[in-house]
Amino acid sequence: MEKYIYMDNAATTRVKKEVLEEMLPYFSENYGNPSSVYTLGSKSKNAVEIARERVAKAINAKPSEIFFTAGGSEADNWAIKGVAFANRNKGNHIITSKIEHHAVLHTCEYLEKQGFRVTYLDVDEYGIVDLEQLKESITDETILITIMFANNEIGTIQPIKEIGEIAKSHGIYFHTDAVQAVGHINIDVDDLNIDLLSMAAHKFYGPKGVGALYVRKGVKLDSLIAGGGQERSRRAGTENVPGIVGMGKAIELAYEHLEESNKKLIELRDRLINKVFENIDHVRLNGHPTQRLPGNVNLCFEFIEGESMLLSLDMEGIAASSGSACTSGSLEPSHVLLAIGLPHEIAHGSLRLSLGDFNTEEEVDYVVEKLTEIVSRLRAMSPLYEKVKKEEK
Ligand SMILES: *Cc1c(COP(=O)(O)O)cnc(C)c1O
């Protein structure tokens, strides 16, 4: 393929060169087990602790409040199950939203089977949670509020500070799945009253399979993985040293260049959105017009299936994502698009283009050009579109 354009940075990102370079020595030179007492072990241990400091600094936490995990899903599972099981004597009620990542939603569903009660908050047409409904949902039994920082599909950023204040004023723990936000938005866990926060390195140009959970000092949390004394006896298992080193470097790089990176991403994002609207009719932008991730574009093209758009884009060397998860042959529209009130037939025509640091203006223009061709080709096969166009004349 002569040209490959990657616009699926919300799914995962390319590891940056500087990140890979810092990781490499920890595979076959400094390969010691961090728990070993000899020099080779302590080299690994030191590297892990430097990474912990870098991660802590990025969100204004203390290094002792950062626990490395095998990614975002594990961090979400740990935060929610860990709080639920450790605080069962205080209550059995959890509040979340309808647009969470499946790592949160499926964990909550699991807890419902274990006897917990879960409230799934509605969101408005932009994907913002209903704060009044949040306040009304709180009872004496509520032990946890878990609301994502920014949505992975439509990019909407939640009013995290307000949610943190509500949680704090009721003495309820607040967890946020910040997997899409860390490395892309400034985060201060103290200012935002966050008690637990999940992140994953591969969403900010670090390696896959490594993440972290921030746990505020004093939060009562059960462990999920029993074994050795790693991570201060709270998460057993020999540390993924190269991964952790990469995560530390990636988070430091991300915040060093946050402003310039976001400025460029917002320019590219808005260029993409504007050009799509200039060239294609019957299209809508999903998510919030301003409270959205710098790199996120989520569009619905009426009269088309998202999956057919993806396949056509792939043939042109463009990687993107659709809102419908094609599992076992059945097309289920995204729970997020349904929660913002889109009817099934429109939710099926969704396309997510998530921009990253490696994308260029030329790529954006090329993608819009191809997208315009693809949409008009697919619509030419739609009798409904033909009918609507005739009626409009
Ligand atoms: C990617 C993602 C996850 C899962 O992270 P993994 O590292 O893939 O386990 C969880 N939540 C959100 C919002 C995500 O975008």
Side-chain angles (χ1 to χ4, degrees), residues 10 71-73 76 101 103 148 150 152 177 179-180 200 202-203:
S73 300
D76 283 340
H101 189 275
M148 71 199 319
N152 46 302
D177 172 350
V179 176
Q180 289 290 332
H202 73 108
K203 302 287 174 79

Side-chain angles (χ1 to χ4, degrees), residues 79-316:
I80 299 168
K81 291 177 190 167
V83 164
F85 293 143
N87 297 276
R88 209 166 193 166
N89 59 331
K90 289 201 208 112
N92 72 341
H93 182 226
I94 294 165
I95 302 174
T96 186
S97 84
K98 287 187 177 160
I99 62 161
E100 299 296 310
H101 189 275
H102 284 135
V104 168
L105 286 178
H106 290 166
T107 300
C108 287
E109 286 162 18
Y110 164 80
L111 288 174
E112 283 185 290
K113 290 196 197 116
Q114 304 291 316
F116 288 88
R117 195 169 71 79
V118 182
T119 300
Y120 300 89
L121 298 176
D122 293 317
V123 295
D124 68 11
E125 59 179 311
Y126 302 115
I128 304 262
V129 293
D130 186 336
L131 294 182
E132 287 311 310
Q133 197 192 7
L134 168 61
K135 287 183 211 158
E136 287 161 13
S137 303
I138 294 172
T139 72
D140 292 344
E141 292 283 310
T142 311
I143 50 175
L144 176 69
I145 296 171
T146 172
I147 306 277
M148 71 199 319
F149 206 115
N151 186 269
N152 46 302
E153 289 185 33
I154 57 175
T156 302
I157 300 167
Q158 299 297 336
I160 291 297
K161 195 174 164 106
E162 284 87 337
I163 298 169
E165 274 163 12
I166 294 168
K168 192 180 181 184
S169 70
H170 288 84
I172 299 166
Y173 290 144
F174 174 36
H175 165 250
T176 186
D177 172 350
V179 176
Q180 289 290 332
V182 171
H184 304 282
I185 300 174
N186 279 312
I187 298 176
D188 178 330
V189 288
D190 280 343
D191 180 49
L192 299 171
N193 289 313
I194 295 166
D195 297 307
L196 303 110
L197 177 146
S198 307
M199 59 178 106
H202 73 108
K203 302 287 174 79
F204 50 84
Y205 312 99
K208 293 167 196 40
V210 59
L213 181 65
Y214 155 76
V215 185
R216 181 179 293 282
K217 188 173 187 284
V219 168
K220 283 177 71 186
L221 182 77
D222 273 7
S223 295
L224 298 188
I225 301 182
Q230 293 90 356
E231 298 298 283
R232 298 170 45 248
S233 294
R234 301 186 81 173
R235 198 277 186 183
T238 300
E239 298 86 341
N240 171 3
V241 180
I244 290 170
V245 166
M247 179 167 183
K249 179 65 178 177
I251 204 165
E252 192 175 82
L253 268 181
Y255 283 103
E256 247 168 47
H257 303 289
L258 190 73
E259 264 172 54
E260 47 175 313
S261 163
N262 281 353
K263 186 170 172 284
K264 187 190 135 187
L265 282 177
I266 289 169
E267 273 170 23
L268 289 182
R269 178 192 74 188
D270 293 345
R271 183 183 182 92
L272 179 53
I273 295 171
N274 292 335
K275 286 199 163 226
V276 163
F277 275 87
E278 274 165 29
N279 286 286
I280 305 173
D281 57 21
H282 290 278
V283 57
R284 63 163 277 163
L285 178 70
N286 300 312
H288 198 280
T290 54
Q291 290 297 103
R292 74 186 298 134
L293 287 169
N296 177 284
V297 178
N298 188 307
L299 301 159
C300 274
F301 298 90
E302 282 180 63
F303 316 106
I304 312 185
E305 294 258 318
E307 296 297 314
S308 14
M309 258 187 296
L310 283 193
L311 295 177
S312 306
L313 284 168
D314 186 41
M315 284 193 281
E316 303 288 350

